[in-house]
Amino acid sequence: AAKGGGRGAFRFFEPELDHLMHVRRNLEKDMRKALARGEFELHFQPIVRVEGGRTSGYEALLRWHHPERGMVLPGEFIPLAEETGLILPIGEWVLRAACAEAAKWPSDLTIAINLSPAQFRSKELVSIIVGALATSGIEPHRLELEVTETVIMHDSEAVFAALGQLRELGVRIALDDFGTGYSSLSFLQKFPFDKVKIDRSFVSELASKREEARRIARAVVAFAVSLGKMTTAEGVETAEQLAILREEGCVEAQGYYFSRPMQASSIAQQAQRKAEAAVCAA
Ligand code: C2E
Ligand code: MG
Ligand code: MG
Ligand code: MG
C-alpha cells in the first residue's frame, strides 16, 4: 500500500486503474463481436392495467450472453456501448428484434423499447424505426419508445423534431424513470410525450406507514393527469404498493410482483393459454 501522498499514492492507484482499463478494453472488444455472434437477447416484462389486471404490453430489456461471463445486464454494458458509439448498431438490432417479436403477439399488445440519447442524436433514428415497423408489419401505435429526461434535455431541437415525426406516425413516447432527472416542469410541458413512468425509487418507498412517499406518488400522478398523460409505475414488488398506486389513480404497473422479465417463448405460451381459456369459456 502507499505511504502518504505524492508518488506513493500514485503507485497505489496505478495497478487498479490499469486493471479497470484492461477490463473495459476487453468488454469493448467483446461487445464489437457480440452482435455478429448472436449473443444479445431480449427479455420482456409485462406492463399491467392496475384496474382489472389485463396485460397491455411488454417492455423489451436487453441481455448479453457473454461467452465467459454468462448473462450480463444492461447496467454493466450500456454505458460503455454509449461511450463507444456501439449503442447505435446494438440499438438498431433491439428495435428490429423487438418489433419482429411483437409481430407474433396478439395485436392488442404494445411493445416498449428503451432508447439511448445517442440514438436520438443520430439522423437515422426515424428511418430505422420506420424500417423496423415496415419489416415486422406491426402498427405504429403498438410501438412505445421509452426515453429519459436526459434524452430530451440533450440537443432539444433535433430531439424535438424526431419525437414529433415519430408521434405523427402514431408511435407513442414514454418518459422513463420519471422523477430522477433534472428537467423543469415547464420544460416537460413542451415535450410531446404520452406516458410517464414513475421511477422504481419512489415505488419502493410506498408502504402504508410512509406517508411522504405516498404524497410523492400522488403528486406525480396528478401532474401526469393534468397534462393528459398516461401513468405507469415501475418496480412494483408488493400487493401493498399496488393497492396504494391504485388508490392514487395510477393506470398501469410493472414489476416483479407481476413478473420478472422473461424469454420471448414464455409470452407466446401465455398468449396460447389465454386463447384456449377464452375458447373454453365461450
Ligand atoms: P428501465 O428501462 O427503467 O427498466 C426497468 C429495469 O428495472 C429493468 O432492469 C428491469 O429488469 C428492472 N425491474 C423491473 N421490475 C422490477 C422490480 O420489481 N424490482 C426491481 N428491483 N427491478 C425491477 P434491467 O433489465 O437491468 O435494465 C436496466 C436499464 O437498462 C433499463 O432501465 C434501461 O434504462 C436500460 N436498458 C435495458 N434494455 C435496453 C435497451 O435495449 N436499450 C437501451 N438503450 N437501454 C436499455
Ligand atoms: Mg424502460
Ligand atoms: Mg425505468
Ligand atoms: Mg430505470
Side-chain angles (χ1 to χ4, degrees):
K3 292 184 203 116
R7 295 179 58 86
F10 183 69
R11 254 181 270 131
F12 175 74
F13 286 112
E14 202 179 40
E16 260 182 49
L17 193 65
D18 213 56
H19 176 70
L20 275 176
M21 296 290 283
H22 179 74
V23 168
R24 232 183 90 101
R25 267 195 306 272
N26 277 332
L27 198 65
E28 181 181 342
K29 211 169 69 209
D30 293 346
M31 214 184 329
R32 286 190 188 280
K33 302 179 203 143
L35 264 181
R37 292 181 174 176
E39 291 168 3
F40 288 115
E41 185 188 22
L42 293 176
H43 282 191
F44 298 89
Q45 188 181 34
I47 300 171
V48 171
R49 300 284 298 191
V50 166
E51 294 296 339
R54 200 178 69 85
T55 296
S56 49
Y58 294 85
E59 177 175 359
L61 294 159
L62 187 58
R63 269 71 184 121
W64 178 11
H65 296 282
H66 189 279
E68 287 121 41
R69 296 160 160 241
M71 189 167 89
V72 188
L73 289 170
E76 291 174 67
F77 67 91
I78 294 269
L80 187 59
E82 283 171 348
E83 274 175 58
T84 55
L86 284 168
I87 193 65
L88 294 178
I90 295 172
E92 179 168 353
W93 179 85
V94 169
L95 278 161
R96 291 186 175 280
C99 289
E101 204 52 53
K104 303 177 194 164
W105 305 341
S107 61
D108 58 338
L109 291 173
T110 59
I111 174 72
I113 300 175
N114 293 286
L115 292 185
S116 290
Q119 291 176 274
F120 268 93
R121 285 197 294 276
S122 142
K123 288 190 187 65
E124 274 131 76
L125 180 67
V126 176
S127 66
I128 289 169
I129 290 170
V130 169
L133 288 170
T135 311
S136 63
I138 71 163
E139 296 284 332
H141 69 83
R142 291 180 62 195
L143 176 60
E144 193 167 281
L145 302 174
E146 299 197 357
V147 303
T148 58
E149 289 165 69
T150 341
V151 166
I152 61 173
M153 288 177 77
H154 253 98
D155 192 12
S156 55
E157 287 282 306
V159 173
F160 196 91
L163 287 177
Q165 278 175 281
L166 290 167
R167 271 181 117 217
E168 254 169 57
L169 289 172
V171 172
R172 283 181 290 190
I173 312 294
L175 193 52
D176 206 350
D177 303 343
F178 182 75
T180 61
Y182 297 97
S183 44
S184 70
L185 296 183
S186 66
F187 183 80
L188 285 177
Q189 193 198 337
K190 292 188 200 107
F191 269 88
F193 62 99
D194 304 276
K195 179 189 273 193
V196 168
K197 296 193 80 174
I198 304 169
D199 192 65
R200 170 154 56 92
S201 58
F202 300 112
V203 174
S204 66
E205 298 281 300
L206 285 178
S208 45
K209 289 184 207 78
R210 294 292 315 277
E211 193 50 41
E212 318 97 79
R214 191 185 178 112
R215 285 202 206 102
I216 291 178
R218 183 177 301 159
V220 173
V221 172
F223 164 74
V225 168
S226 70
L227 292 179
K229 315 297 186 196
M230 274 281 285
T231 43
T232 305
E234 297 188 292
V236 176
E237 294 185 352
T238 68
E240 188 182 22
Q241 289 165 353
L242 177 63
I244 294 172
L245 288 160
R246 182 192 286 127
E247 272 174 45
E248 298 304 339
C250 185
V251 183
E252 292 178 338
Q254 180 180 6
Y256 296 169
Y257 179 63
F258 302 101
S259 168
R260 293 197 171 238
M262 56 192 165
Q263 286 179 316
S265 57
S266 310
I267 301 173
Q269 280 163 21
Q270 264 185 12
Q272 183 57 33
R273 276 199 299 275
K274 256 177 71 179
E276 282 165 14
V279 167
C280 286

